[in-house]
Amino acid sequence: MKKQRLFYVKIQRKVEKWCAYIILLLCIYVLAFQPVGFILDTIVFLFLEMLVLTPKEKRNLPLLGILSVATPFIIYTLFVYAINTPLPKGLFGF
Amino acid sequence: MVNEAIQMVLLNPVCLGLILFGVVIGIIFGAVPGLSSTMAMILFLPMSFGMEPMNGISLLIGLYLGGISGGLISAILLKIPGTASSIATVFDGGPMADKGKAGEALGVGILTSFVGGLISIFALMFISPYLAKVTLAFTAAEYFSIAVFALTIISSLSGNSLINGILAGLFGIALSLVGIAPVDGAIRFAFGQSQLYGGFDSVVILIGLYAVTDIIMTGFGRKNILGTGTKYQYNLKGYGIGVKEYLSHWRNIIQSALVGLGIGILPGIGGSTASLLSYTTAKSTSKYPEKFGTGIIDGVIASETSNNAVIGGSLIPLITMGIPGNVATAVFLGGLTIHGISPGPLVFQKSGQYIYGIFIALLVANVFMIVCERAGLRFFVKMLDIPKYILLPIVMVCCVIGAYCSNFSIFDVWCVAIFGLIGLLFKVLKVPATPMIIGFILGSMTEENMRQALMQTGGEWSIFITRPISLIFLVIAVLSVAMTIRKQVAKRKVKA
């Protein structure tokens, strides 16, 4: 009886929409990292990801927008100028 | 010589300033998942060349110490180990944070990191020549047996399903086989992809399995994302634990420090193994092993004491024999060599003042570490108040950067996503992910040393049981597995 239980792995069928979004966003972010470049890719990813994760009541678009633009720039400055580690430059040269 | 050392370090504001700088930067690197103390040391190594010898070396020491210790911050607050050496801190530190005891977990973690570091620094200062001789007794056979013993942790970390845990562990070992084989250099499981020749990076797997899976799971619980609204008031006095209570864990502290010291002394084994091994040891020698993993302070103490003890331990073979025990000490060796200090048996005659300077710098860095982390504690805990839906995407970005920066390879970034999905699959299938990482980290150590040992004996397997130290570890491993099986069988009988 126990052996039968082991073979019966039921994967939960409840795949909710936004989980697919999260996974999809992540895959796009990762694949576009090199070609599009760090800054652009991160801005888009952060904005969309925060949008998807934030419950509707708390959605504060301007705040998310500022965060998603400021963060990559801050990180980029820190990494590239302060500690000299290159991050992928994309189509637009930054 | 000691006086000169004191002058160069303690009475030199530039040097003290550099140590402080190193410790702070180190803590930041340690706390961000994906960045590590090794990376910090490598980045600042060129800068240290141009400085006065003692200043440059002190900077590296600060980075090393801060980096190893900083991992506990994200391990407890985010349940993502900031550095591989803090992996076992997640097991109990995470649940403690869930219960609202994050401040205590952090406080104790910081305190015990200090103590562990102190113990190993004293060992380095006073008994390093004797300890160095111990290294000579450990050959490939002993390393193999230690790895096997460490693998038995899987059985106790598998949660409810031993089978699933072993499956995950075996999968991890299988993953460690990808790439160029040790000893004979055959290329395995690369499927023609040149990027796989080097195998997978453990940091990348850690990030994928912990951070990415976490973020995706947060999405699953989207409706609950506002849930943990109770803001815990952190009026943390001292370190969240009384002196008497901390000292009551003395057995745990001492044995974890010894484990860390030992692992540090043995070249080729790093902080992650120390963390896991001391966690297992603490669990098996505890009076309440079933509480481990639910959020008890013992787990945090075990992990954090040992990973800081690795620091002093790893410097012992470096200074006494010039053998770097891990990548961090290899970088450190570079820093020493460029200033004309060649570690080895004669180092005390030739450059004694620098070695004493290193000891003093280590003590100073340790003190700075505990002061800085304690001062920053309230700030760290405030980070938990940042809503998850903002924090996690940013953490994700930092993780991806960390993965990219370890080898500047875009393939590593893809791996993060892939392992994140694998982690998700594991969660859905109720397979624990931790055994997989343990299997991966220890798999290469096991295989490489097994093959080297067999090479030495010409294929004679008895070496693993004829050598006494090796035999001891194997016996402990077998006993540990036997006890776990017995417990599981007993549990099942009670259920039925």
Side-chain angles (χ1 to χ4, degrees):
Chain A
M1 287 292 265
K2 279 175 192 167
K3 279 185 187 169
Q4 281 175 341
R5 232 200 296 163
L6 277 177
F7 283 111
Y8 257 113
V9 178
K10 278 193 176 158
I11 301 177
Q12 284 170 312
R13 279 250 160 181
K14 250 195 166 183
V15 180
E16 331 240 9
K17 254 199 301 181
W18 14 266
C19 297
Y21 286 158
I22 294 175
I23 298 175
L24 200 66
L25 267 179
L26 182 67
C27 292
I28 297 178
Y29 179 53
V30 157
L31 287 171
F33 200 62
Q34 183 87 294
V36 174
F38 168 72
I39 293 193
L40 264 183
D41 201 19
T42 310
I43 294 179
V44 173
F45 171 75
L46 274 181
F47 188 68
L48 291 176
E49 186 82 27
M50 291 200 271
L51 205 65
V52 169
L53 279 177
T54 315
K56 283 201 180 141
E57 320 85 62
K58 289 258 167 174
R59 268 187 200 154
N60 185 353
L61 284 179
L63 176 67
L64 295 186
I66 298 175
L67 271 176
S68 33
V69 174
T71 318
F73 274 106
I74 297 176
I75 298 180
Y76 188 80
T77 328
L78 274 176
F79 270 77
V80 174
Y81 295 113
I83 52 181
N84 280 323
T85 38
L87 291 171
K89 287 185 181 184
L91 309 166
F92 301 102
F94 58 80
Chain B
M1 273 199 293
V2 183
N3 289 331
E4 206 182 320
I6 294 180
Q7 267 193 324
M8 282 193 296
V9 180
L10 280 180
L11 304 179
N12 179 355
V14 176
C15 192
L16 291 177
L18 281 172
I19 299 180
L20 182 63
F21 176 71
V23 168
V24 170
I25 300 282
I27 293 175
I28 297 176
F29 268 74
V32 175
L35 303 178
S36 68
S37 65
T38 314
M39 197 183 290
M41 289 172 79
I42 293 177
L43 284 172
F44 285 91
L45 186 66
M47 204 187 290
S48 79
F49 291 163
M51 301 177 188
E52 295 278 319
M54 203 58 237
N55 293 348
I57 296 171
S58 306
L59 174 66
L60 291 176
I61 287 180
L63 289 169
Y64 188 18
L65 215 140
I68 297 270
S69 138
L72 66 93
I73 298 172
S74 46
I76 293 173
L77 293 179
L78 300 173
K79 289 191 229 171
I80 305 168
T83 312
S85 344
S86 293
I87 183 172
T89 315
V90 179
F91 301 162
D92 272 289
M96 279 184 82
D98 283 341
K99 288 195 221 171
K101 290 191 192 167
E104 286 162 45
L106 284 171
V108 178
I110 295 171
L111 178 63
T112 199
S113 293
F114 176 73
V115 171
L118 208 60
I119 294 178
S120 73
I121 296 173
F122 282 150
L124 169 67
M125 282 168 41
F126 299 119
I127 47 177
S128 32
Y130 307 106
L131 290 177
K133 286 189 194 152
V134 170
T135 344
L136 300 172
F138 278 76
T139 64
E142 278 78 22
Y143 276 63
F144 168 75
S145 307
I146 293 178
V148 168
F149 169 57
L151 279 171
T152 63
I153 307 174
I154 294 179
S155 63
S156 56
L157 286 176
S158 301
N160 291 323
S161 171
L162 192 59
I163 289 270
N164 281 355
I166 295 180
L167 257 176
L170 288 173
F171 184 58
I173 295 179
L175 281 177
S176 77
L177 297 176
V178 174
I180 300 181
V183 178
D184 60 17
I187 301 176
R188 302 184 297 197
F189 298 117
F191 300 111
Q193 303 285 334
S194 60
Q195 292 139 331
L196 284 175
Y197 285 0
F200 296 110
D201 195 308
S202 58
V203 173
V204 166
I205 299 187
L206 260 178
I207 294 176
L209 276 188
Y210 281 96
V212 177
T213 313
D214 219 33
I215 292 178
I216 300 180
M217 291 303 292
T218 312
F220 269 87
R222 192 161 162 267
K223 291 179 188 143
N224 303 326
I225 204 163
L226 293 174
T228 36
T230 26
K231 293 198 175 170
Y232 302 104
Q233 290 295 341
Y234 286 106
N235 295 321
L236 198 67
K237 290 191 183 153
Y239 291 94
I241 192 173
V243 176
K244 268 200 185 147
E245 200 197 330
Y246 183 67
L247 288 178
S248 69
H249 292 277
W250 66 273
R251 209 174 281 136
N252 188 357
I253 298 170
I254 301 281
Q255 79 190 18
S256 305
L258 288 177
V259 168
L261 189 61
I263 300 256
I265 296 177
L266 296 176
I269 320 182
S272 50
T273 314
S275 172
L276 291 168
L277 204 56
S278 69
Y279 187 83
T280 319
T281 319
K283 187 173 177 178
S284 359
T285 56
S286 155
K287 291 179 190 156
Y288 36 82
E290 52 312 324
K291 286 198 192 164
F292 273 73
T294 60
I296 54 172
I297 205 66
D298 304 50
V300 176
I301 291 179
S303 173
E304 284 303 314
T305 317
S306 68
N307 69 21
N308 275 66
V310 169
I311 299 176
S314 63
L315 287 171
I316 292 180
L318 179 69
I319 293 182
T320 54
M321 299 190 289
I323 302 175
N326 51 21
V327 188
T329 37
V331 177
F332 195 65
L333 178 63
L336 288 176
T337 318
I338 210 77
H339 292 293
I341 305 166
S342 40
L346 298 175
V347 72
F348 277 97
Q349 280 109 305
K350 286 194 283 179
S351 344
Q353 70 271 38
Y354 292 113
I355 305 299
Y356 286 113
I358 291 178
F359 296 160
I360 299 178
L362 277 168
L363 291 169
V364 172
N366 212 15
V367 170
F368 281 165
M369 179 272 292
I370 195 176
V371 166
C372 288
E373 285 192 353
R374 178 62 187 87
L377 203 102
R378 209 166 287 169
F379 168 68
F380 300 149
V381 173
K382 280 241 162 94
M383 287 236 313
L384 262 186
D385 286 342
I386 301 179
K388 272 203 160 179
Y389 44 84
I390 293 187
L391 189 60
L392 283 181
I394 298 183
V395 169
M396 182 77 250
V397 170
C398 289
C399 289
V400 167
I401 299 175
Y404 178 73
C405 285
S406 53
N407 288 318
F408 292 111
S409 141
I410 192 68
F411 176 71
D412 284 340
V413 178
W414 297 342
C415 281
V416 168
I418 295 174
F419 282 108
L421 294 176
I422 293 181
L424 186 66
L425 188 66
F426 276 25
K427 271 257 161 76
V428 169
L429 294 175
K430 303 236 172 92
V431 174
T434 317
M436 180 177 136
I437 295 200
I438 297 174
F440 179 78
I441 294 176
L442 294 170
S444 38
M445 182 177 157
T446 320
E447 190 201 359
E448 191 169 325
N449 286 296
M450 181 190 87
R451 296 177 72 161
Q452 276 186 5
L454 287 178
M455 252 181 31
Q456 283 168 2
T457 62
E460 183 65 56
W461 285 84
S462 61
I463 182 142
F464 297 117
I465 40 181
T466 48
R467 293 188 64 94
I469 303 178
S470 171
L471 178 63
I472 294 175
F473 276 106
L474 285 179
V475 165
I476 301 178
V478 170
L479 282 177
S480 144
V481 173
M483 289 208 297
T484 315
I485 295 183
R486 206 207 257 173
K487 273 188 214 160
Q488 289 265 341
V489 170
K491 249 199 232 173
R492 232 167 260 177
K493 279 195 180 156
V494 171
K495 270 190 188 167

